[in-house]
Amino acid sequence: MNAADKFVRKPMDLDEASQPAGEVHVIVERCKECSYCIEYCPADVLVYTEEINARGYHYPIIADGKSESCILCKFCDAICPEMAIYTTDPKAEEEGK
C-alpha cells in the first residue's frame, strides 16, 4: 500500500449513494423541433422520430437502449421553449413524494 492509497477521502455514505434515474415524457403536439433537448442532453437519451406531429415537426423519443439512461438532471425541462418535455422520478412517485 502506498501513501496515496492510505489517504483516499470517500463520502461516509458512499455505499448508500446511487445514480438518479428519471423518466422522460414528451408532449408531442407542443414540440417545434428546436432540438435543444437532443443536443444538450448529457446522457444522449433522445433522438428524433421519423413521425411528425400535427404541426409538421419531428419530435423527440427515447433512443434505442437508452430508456434507463436518464440521470434526472431536468435540463430538458428547463431548456424547452415550448414546455413540450419533462422528466419525473419514478422512485419518488412510488414513495408518494
Side-chain angles (χ1 to χ4, degrees), residues 83-94:
M83 293 184 238
I85 190 166
Y86 64 98
T87 53
T88 57
D89 183 352
K91 287 183 183 178
E93 289 176 0
E94 286 177 10

Side-chain angles (χ1 to χ4, degrees), residues 1-96:
M1 178 184 290
N2 63 34
D5 293 333
K6 189 174 180 182
F7 298 104
V8 175
R9 293 179 59 182
K10 296 181 183 175
M12 292 176 63
D13 62 349
L14 183 61
D15 57 331
E16 297 172 15
S18 64
Q19 180 176 338
E23 192 172 309
V24 180
H25 307 274
V26 177
I27 304 170
V28 173
E29 296 309 320
R30 284 190 186 175
C31 182
K32 284 185 153 181
E33 200 176 346
C34 71
S35 78
Y36 293 154
C37 59
I38 293 173
E39 289 181 36
Y40 295 106
C41 178
D44 294 321
V45 173
L46 301 166
V47 295
Y48 278 122
T49 182
E50 293 296 319
E51 299 174 24
I52 57 172
N53 62 16
R55 295 176 166 185
Y57 297 108
H58 296 277
Y59 52 91
I61 58 170
I62 307 298
D64 289 338
K66 295 283 192 162
S67 61
E68 303 290 321
S69 298
C70 176
I71 59 171
L72 203 59
C73 68
K74 295 189 173 277
F75 193 63
C76 57
D77 297 32
I79 201 168
C80 180
E82 301 300 317
M83 293 184 238
I85 190 166
Y86 64 98
T87 53
T88 57
D89 183 352
K91 287 183 183 178
E93 289 176 0
E94 286 177 10
E95 296 171 4

